[in-house]
Amino acid sequence: MAGGRPLRSLQIAIVAHGRFHAFDLARELIARGHDVTLLTNYPRWAVTRFGVPASSVKSFVAHGAVTRLAGRLPSVARRLSAERRLHRMFGRWAERVLRQRRWDIVHCWSGASEEILLSKRVVGHTVLMRGSSHIAVQARLLADEARQAGVAIDRPSPWMVAREMREYAQAERILVLSTFARQTFIDEGTSDDRLMVLPLGADASAFRPGPDAAAGRARRILAREPLRVLLCGAVSFRKGVRHVARLVSEVDATRVQFTWVGAVLPEAAALAAQLRSRGVRVMGHVPQQRLSALYAEADVFLFPTIEDGYGMVLAQAQAAGLPALATTHSAAPDVIRHGDNGWLVESGDVQGMVDVLNWCDRERASLAAMAARVYRDGWPRSWSTVAADFESMAVALRDGAAGDRA
């Protein structure tokens, strides 16, 4: 390494059947001098809006269009049939593109990569990206949530579980986003030396409020105005909607007010209506420019997820200077120091959430001091740092394999 950069640029393929964080990673790796090709189902013009040059993009636009249409199918059986066809279709297309040249690293997203990993004609070290916990763990957690809720909820199909398990077995390395996700793989029998952990980042400038907003937050808290609690993400059972419904019923509505930003999944429509009837502002999807203002207007961030491999909203809340109350089934244990910049509770621990929010209402001076501390110190990782860490992992994989051959 010279000056923190590899001795030669890496030839990297990033393969994602959607956007996820692939666009941010590709942009920053290109900025670091690497030869990156991004394979996606987004059109090139959409990808360029994220700073990735069109010349670096291979796009399967038809797949993206059909995927969006399939998501609107009324029948679960039809959606599952489309899932099988579409994931295989993307994997076969990506395999044909990748085999046209040699790569140092093929970084491909789970669920759509079996065809790549099984191919004898794709040359390069394979790093499988898994954005959630091990799929078997995810499936069990969500199956348990469905049983307790007494409703069918969105969760991995048996077909997808089997497909991803085969991908895990074939990949040279598996990249996850948090200590929690890493541990689920170890618990399921994956050797630790096959795992990489890459915490994600956030564009702090997009969510960082000005000093006036931070001062306004302190004034509200110390004036004992009702606490403003913000949730961001899909209103779904996976994100903890059942537990939020219980939480809202157990805190004083005159002292704690909730706002939930995110699309309401059909499975959670009844609970969303119940939340609204109890005074929760359920806003649905909002554009990012409006989202940053909502972060600035809040006092506490709540992330009651049943299971998340990371939880990008945690980084956004950190950038916004918000103390966060989150479950341990996410990246929260990696970024939250309990009682210092936020609070950790076990997944499903509604009483723990109630206790924290009651403490926040009671100990206003301590909460204001915590919010000021998060605003001062709570800068999330930048995307350039994420890319530099990925680069280090990739160089070590490339050079380690070369050393083995020598």
Side-chain angles (χ1 to χ4, degrees), residues 29-318:
L29 287 170
I30 291 169
R32 293 184 66 81
H34 299 295
D35 181 0
V36 178
T37 299
L38 173 63
L39 283 68
T40 180
N41 60 8
Y42 272 58
R44 283 189 179 89
W45 64 263
V47 180
T48 60
R49 293 165 55 189
F50 294 86
V52 180
S55 59
S56 297
V57 179
K58 301 288 186 184
S59 180
F60 191 4
V61 177
H63 182 273
V66 176
T67 298
R68 286 188 290 275
L69 291 173
R72 301 172 189 164
L73 291 173
S75 163
V76 173
R78 288 178 181 175
R79 288 197 297 273
L80 291 177
S81 176
E83 173 186 73
R84 297 185 185 99
R85 293 172 182 269
L86 288 167
H87 283 74
R88 288 169 176 157
M89 182 190 303
F90 188 86
R92 287 194 294 267
W93 168 79
E95 190 274 340
R96 289 195 298 271
V97 174
L98 292 173
R99 69 193 189 196
Q100 296 173 14
R101 57 178 284 194
R102 298 176 64 89
W103 307 93
D104 290 311
I105 303 293
V106 175
H107 185 38
C108 49
W109 258 242
S110 66
S113 297
E114 184 176 16
E115 293 74 16
I116 298 168
L117 297 170
L118 289 175
S119 175
K120 304 298 184 184
R121 302 170 67 182
V122 173
V123 179
H125 298 291
T126 55
V127 178
L128 183 70
M129 168 64 213
R130 172 61 179 166
S132 299
S133 59
H134 189 291
I135 197 166
V137 174
Q138 181 187 43
R140 286 198 298 270
L141 288 171
L142 296 181
D144 185 59
E145 179 66 13
R147 282 192 297 271
Q148 293 186 51
V151 299
I153 71 174
D154 185 37
R155 54 195 173 106
S157 67
W159 179 86
M160 184 56 74
V161 172
R163 179 177 170 88
E164 286 217 11
M165 294 282 281
R166 294 191 298 269
E167 290 177 334
Y168 301 164
Q170 292 294 327
E172 188 173 353
R173 295 288 190 277
I174 301 168
L175 189 150
V176 295
L177 306 177
S178 64
T179 302
F180 161 69
R182 170 182 167 273
Q183 189 60 49
T184 65
F185 273 85
I186 293 173
D187 292 344
E188 291 298 308
T190 304
S191 173
D192 193 24
D193 60 9
R194 294 184 58 228
L195 299 171
M196 300 174 168
V197 180
L198 182 70
L200 298 183
D203 179 3
S205 64
F207 295 95
R208 189 76 172 172
D212 289 346
R217 179 179 293 148
R219 282 194 299 270
R220 286 194 307 272
I221 292 172
L222 294 173
R224 306 195 66 80
E225 294 183 17
L227 287 176
R228 301 178 183 182
V229 178
L230 177 67
L231 302 93
C232 293
V235 182
S236 67
F237 283 89
R238 181 187 177 199
K239 298 297 183 181
V241 65
R242 184 170 65 92
H243 304 302
V244 174
R246 286 178 51 205
L247 172 63
V248 169
S249 70
E250 294 184 25
V251 296
D252 185 347
T254 67
R255 305 303 308 146
V256 185
Q257 299 175 347
F258 296 86
T259 296
W260 196 329
V261 178
V264 178
L265 269 60
E267 66 185 37
L271 280 178
Q274 179 181 320
L275 289 173
R276 289 190 179 101
S277 73
R278 293 177 177 171
V280 177
R281 185 166 57 150
V282 181
M283 298 184 63
H285 173 76
V286 301
Q288 181 163 308
Q289 56 268 31
R290 173 58 180 145
L291 183 58
S292 60
L294 290 168
Y295 275 107
E297 295 165 5
D299 303 320
V300 174
F301 188 78
L302 176 61
F303 191 56
T305 185
I306 300 299
E307 177 276 333
D308 262 274
Y310 187 74
M312 186 73 73
V313 292
L314 290 172
Q316 295 170 355
Q318 188 179 20

